[in-house]
Amino acid sequence: MDIPDSVTSIGSSAFSGCTSLTSVTIGNNVTSIGDYAFIGCTRLTNVTIGNGITSIGSGVFSSCTSLTNVYYQGTLAEWAQISFTDSTSNPCYYGDSLYIGGELLTEAEIPDGVTSISDYAFYGYTGLTSVTIGNGVTSIGDYAFDECTSLTSVTIGNGVTSIGSYAFHRCMALTSVTIGNGVTSIGGSAFYGCTSLINVYYQGTLAEWVQISFTGSTSNPCYNGTPLYIGGELLTEAEIPDGITSISSAFYGCTSLTSVTIPDSVTSIGSYAFDNCTSLTSVTIGNGASSIGSYAFYGCTSLTSVTIGSDIPSFGHAAFSGCTSLTNVYYQGTLAEWVQISFTSSSSNPCYYGASLYIGGELLTKADIPEGVTSISNSAFYNCTSLTSVDIPDSVTSIGKAAFEYCTNLTSVTIGNGVTSIGFAAFWECTSLTNVTIGNGATFIDTFAFYNCTSLTSVTFGNGVTAIDDWAFDCCTSLTDVYYAGSEDDWAAISIGSYNTYLTNATIHYNSTVSAAAEDESSESVTAAEAEPETEVETESEPETETGDKSEPEAEVETESEAEPETEDETEAEPEVDAETEPEVETETETGDESEPSATETTAPTGDLSLDYLLSGVGTVVPLMAYTGSNTSADSSQTAAFTGLVSGEAYVLLVVKDAEAESLLAADNLLYIAQASADDSGSVTFTYIPRETVDGAVSYAYGTSSQNLADAEITLEAESFGYTGGAIKPLAT
């Protein structure tokens, strides 16, 4: 079919669905082609386009699956400036061969007279092998070379200031990119999917490179793990020049980098700044930084030493996750400053993998927190292996969650009278800890506070404690003595949660403040079983999850999922680097006698909690269904109601942040867990407030019956926080 020169425009859907059409020639006077003009022309193989075209509408060549040859009567400069509305506006979306001026285009040299390359200009053109962009071009449009799968090399002139989003997206054969010194911004996913890219050459200076605005990690051409050459030299030691104030995701995936020195002038280190710099061994951060961004050093698997300046108030989410070789952390500030740093998650702390911490040049072994400090932040000493003792003064009022988690060489802790609460998992798995003294101010000890402190033999409590939450002293297998400042009646009034058998079975020394090493012979002593025979039955009764009277704990977690989140619009999941899996949290489930089983019967091996163990004694665990789009809110009560189940059977509701985590029950993934039995109508309802607000949490139902779930239903609701309408699906048994 020939469209003559007398025609100036082709209307929308003009030839839509013409399935017998095999070739089209469009005259030189046509300036625009309307939306969907040739959509569904499934037998169309050849298109000839005149040189008058300036714009092509949306979906013009959509579903033209047989299109192989595109002939353009104008010049390369004219083609590069056509306004394509979307990817299927471009006939190259399906076409394998683009002929310009009668010649097959394989090497595109964009002339200096062109000022911009339009969006989608070469989208999907598989015949293109190399591109050289002249100095006259100032911008490269979005998707300009997206899916040019045969493209191997790109040279970008010094005049280009911006590279659009997805500009070189999925150019899987691309091995080399040269970028001029004029670039100031690179759009999201510009180089995502360029899996063969092995060399990046930048014509500017290091100072200019770090000031480029990268829109997310995959805008950086080094994203897939590529050496970076600056000014012709391979970048190995990056000394950021003084005067630079911020670093964006400038070095993401730069595998040539071995050391970094950041001056005092830098005030912020951006998210993903040095993510996956797998050859990086040492980092020195000056005193000027006010924040270290999320995932800043994620996956730097060779990093062994970090020096951190004083006065950095916050470390972003998972800033040091995956830094599995990091052994020494040098902090230039004071101990008082360190304990007040805001660590967004456990792996924000550079000690996360068991590093020794040096403060002011000295190895920290005894942490005598200075008087005047009012709080110890979350994860402040997480996995600090050099720490052996801690003394917390009266001025401190709170100990954050996971504050001393995994301090495996910590042997003694003294907590002053000012502390009112001990946070979630504060001393989780401090396996060398032998004795703890808790002052009179502490009223509440949170879930897992001293979980799996297997060497703990004695605990001294002040007289202020009113509540000890579930699992607070679970797996403290050596605990034999509890010294309590109050009376026997006072102890009986304390609300002690479930799974604290080792605490409640210890010998209680009333009206005493002595330690196990110097027992006061005048103090009264009696085991909990002798003093309060009814306490365990009341405490361990089946949770009343609907009323909240005694549900299993809403396990507080870190503000992170283990895998790095998708950073772009596409599903670009960051490779999991040594996933942050806390040991799986041991739990126990009540049996029908409503008394807690003996320790020998119920204690699972350390770090080996499974849902089978959670439901031990009630049958074989069967995964039932998953709700994959729920949200959770820490600000409102939520319900999960199940119907169509088997009356009397036991069921578990499990709410997690990340369904792909190495362990669903990892402490940094768990939002809520509870067990209950179906009523006579086959229904179970859980009412709860999760520990964190999470968008896109996953709710699982587990049970002990293998019934057909075709009729089972789940409803998730919240008072003021809705869910996103995700799918409900059965899980394989």
Side-chain angles (χ1 to χ4, degrees):
M1 180 181 69
D2 292 339
I3 298 174
D5 290 346
S6 59
V7 176
T8 58
S9 65
I10 300 172
S12 298
S13 304
F15 300 96
S16 173
C18 293
T19 55
S20 298
L21 188 62
T22 59
S23 68
V24 173
T25 299
I26 300 170
N28 289 327
N29 289 330
V30 173
T31 59
S32 65
I33 303 175
D35 297 342
Y36 312 109
F38 296 96
I39 188 172
C41 295
T42 54
R43 295 184 183 179
L44 185 63
T45 58
N46 299 308
V47 172
T48 300
I49 300 174
N51 60 17
I53 288 288
T54 59
S55 66
I56 301 179
S58 177
V60 166
F61 295 97
S62 179
S63 300
C64 295
T65 52
S66 299
L67 187 56
T68 55
N69 296 308
V70 178
Y71 301 90
Y72 179 62
Q73 303 304 303
T75 64
L76 178 60
E78 291 170 329
W79 177 270
Q81 296 176 85
I82 293 173
S83 174
F84 297 96
T85 307
D86 57 28
S87 58
T88 54
S89 302
N90 193 322
C92 294
Y93 183 82
Y94 293 106
D96 297 323
S97 301
L98 173 61
Y99 295 83
I100 293 184
E103 294 187 3
L104 180 66
L105 181 68
T106 57
E107 299 178 355
E109 295 187 11
I110 310 298
D112 287 345
V114 175
T115 58
S116 64
I117 298 172
S118 64
D119 298 346
Y120 307 99
F122 298 92
Y123 189 104
Y125 179 43
T126 57
L128 195 60
T129 59
S130 69
V131 173
T132 301
I133 299 172
N135 292 327
V137 175
T138 59
S139 66
I140 301 171
D142 297 342
Y143 304 92
F145 298 92
D146 194 343
E147 294 199 58
C148 291
T149 54
S150 299
L151 185 61
T152 60
S153 68
V154 172
T155 300
I156 300 171
N158 291 327
V160 172
T161 59
S162 66
I163 300 173
S165 298
Y166 301 91
F168 298 94
H169 182 242
R170 290 187 294 214
C171 293
M172 293 179 288
L174 187 61
T175 59
S176 172
V177 171
T178 299
I179 300 174
N181 60 17
V183 170
T184 58
S185 66
I186 302 178
S189 293
F191 293 94
Y192 178 67
C194 298
T195 52
S196 300
L197 191 54
I198 55 175
N199 291 306
V200 176
Y201 301 92
Y202 178 63
Q203 303 304 301
T205 65
L206 178 61
E208 291 170 328
W209 177 263
V210 299
Q211 293 178 88
I212 293 174
S213 174
F214 295 95
T215 311
S217 56
T218 54
S219 62
N220 193 319
C222 296
Y223 173 77
N224 286 293
T226 308
L228 174 63
Y229 293 80
I230 292 184
E233 294 186 2
L234 181 66
L235 182 68
T236 57
E237 299 178 355
E239 294 189 11
I240 309 301
D242 198 19
I244 299 298
T245 58
S246 64
I247 301 171
S248 63
S249 53
F251 300 96
Y252 190 111
C254 179
T255 55
S256 60
L257 197 58
T258 59
S259 69
V260 173
T261 302
I262 299 171
D264 293 347
S265 62
V266 172
T267 58
S268 69
I269 299 171
S271 297
Y272 310 98
F274 299 92
D275 193 322
N276 273 311
C277 292
T278 54
S279 300
L280 186 61
T281 60
S282 69
V283 172
T284 299
I285 301 171
N287 292 321
S290 60
S291 65
I292 297 175
S294 299
Y295 305 98
F297 297 94
Y298 184 100
C300 294
T301 53
S302 299
L303 187 61
T304 60
S305 171
V306 172
T307 299
I308 300 171
S310 60
D311 298 326
I312 301 178
S314 66
F315 287 41
H317 178 73
F320 292 93
S321 178
C323 298
T324 52
S325 300
L326 190 51
T327 54
N328 294 307
V329 176
Y330 301 91
Y331 180 62
Q332 304 304 300
T334 65
L335 179 60
E337 291 171 330
W338 178 266
V339 300
Q340 294 175 84
I341 293 172
S342 174
F343 296 101
T344 309
S345 59
S346 297
S347 57
S348 302
N349 192 323
C351 295
Y352 180 77
Y353 288 98
S356 296
L357 176 62
Y358 294 79
I359 293 185
E362 295 186 3
L363 180 65
L364 182 68
T365 56
K366 297 180 179 179
D368 293 331
I369 310 300
E371 186 71 40
V373 172
T374 58
S375 64
I376 297 174
S377 65
N378 296 341
S379 304
F381 297 95
Y382 189 103
N383 210 4
C384 178
T385 55
S386 60
L387 196 59
T388 59
S389 68
V390 174
D391 193 344
I392 299 172
D394 292 347
S395 62
V396 173
T397 59
S398 65
I399 300 173
K401 67 179 180 180
F404 298 91
E405 186 168 345
Y406 288 122
C407 291
T408 53
N409 291 314
L410 184 61
T411 59
S412 67
V413 174
T414 300
I415 300 171
N417 292 321
V419 171
T420 59
S421 64
I422 299 174
F424 176 89
F427 296 91
W428 170 300
E429 291 214 19
C430 293
T431 52
S432 298
L433 187 60
T434 58
N435 62 84
V436 173
T437 299
I438 300 171
N440 292 324
T443 60
F444 178 65
I445 300 173
D446 206 346
T447 306
F448 300 123
F450 294 92
Y451 175 83
N452 208 34
C453 293
T454 53
S455 299
L456 187 62
T457 59
S458 69
V459 178
T460 299
F461 289 100
N463 56 18
V465 63
T466 59
I468 299 172
D469 212 350
D470 301 334
W471 290 292
F473 289 90
D474 194 20
C475 290
C476 294
T477 53
S478 300
L479 186 57
T480 57
D481 292 277
V482 173
Y483 297 88
Y484 177 57
S487 66
E488 183 175 351
D489 289 340
D490 294 334
W491 179 263
I494 296 172
S495 172
I496 300 178
S498 303
Y499 317 116
N500 283 300
T501 305
Y502 295 105
L503 176 69
T504 56
N505 284 348
T507 300
I508 313 298
H509 303 264
Y510 300 112
N511 301 312
S512 174
T513 58
V514 298
S515 69
E519 182 176 348
D520 185 347
E521 294 182 356
S522 66
S523 67
E524 305 173 54
S525 67
V526 63
T527 65
E530 294 168 344
E532 288 293 326
E534 299 300 321
T535 301
E536 288 302 304
V537 173
E538 295 173 5
T539 302
E540 301 303 327
S541 61
E542 187 170 299
E544 298 293 333
T545 56
E546 294 189 47
T547 62
D549 291 341
K550 192 60 189 172
S551 62
E552 296 199 19
E554 302 163 4
E556 180 172 357
V557 297
E558 304 301 333
T559 56
E560 59 185 300
S561 63
E562 190 44 38
E564 184 174 354
E566 298 170 4
T567 56
E568 310 297 340
D569 294 335
E570 303 217 1
T571 53
E572 300 164 16
E574 182 80 9
E576 294 188 3
V577 182
D578 292 304
E580 288 178 40
T581 51
E582 306 262 5
E584 297 176 349
V585 181
E586 176 181 342
T587 58
E588 298 169 0
T589 299
E590 296 81 8
T591 56
D593 61 4
E594 295 189 337
S595 63
E596 182 169 343
S598 67
T600 56
E601 295 174 333
T602 64
T603 303
T606 300
D608 184 25
L609 173 72
S610 67
L611 284 164
D612 295 278
Y613 181 67
L614 180 67
L615 289 168
S616 60
V618 292
T620 302
V621 175
V622 178
L624 303 182
M625 62 179 71
Y627 180 84
T628 59
S630 59
N631 291 346
T632 69
S633 172
D635 300 321
S636 64
S637 176
Q638 299 177 241
T639 62
F642 300 85
T643 60
L645 304 179
V646 176
S647 175
E649 294 284 1
Y651 296 92
V652 167
L653 173 66
L654 178 65
V655 185
V656 299
K657 290 189 289 187
D658 181 11
E660 302 301 323
E662 185 172 326
S663 169
L664 289 180
L665 294 174
D668 60 356
N669 194 46
L670 192 63
L671 292 174
Y672 176 77
I673 188 168
Q675 180 267 337
S677 297
D679 61 19
D680 292 341
S681 66
S683 299
V684 174
T685 300
F686 297 92
T687 301
Y688 62 99
I689 299 177
R691 292 280 180 171
E692 291 184 33
T693 297
V694 173
D695 185 3
V698 182
S699 299
Y700 289 95
Y702 288 86
T704 57
S705 172
S706 58
Q707 83 273 18
N708 187 332
L709 289 175
D711 298 325
E713 296 180 354
I714 177 174
T715 302
L716 282 85
E717 299 176 351
E719 292 177 1
S720 61
F721 194 84
Y723 56 86
T724 59
I728 300 169
K729 61 181 180 181
L731 296 173
T733 60

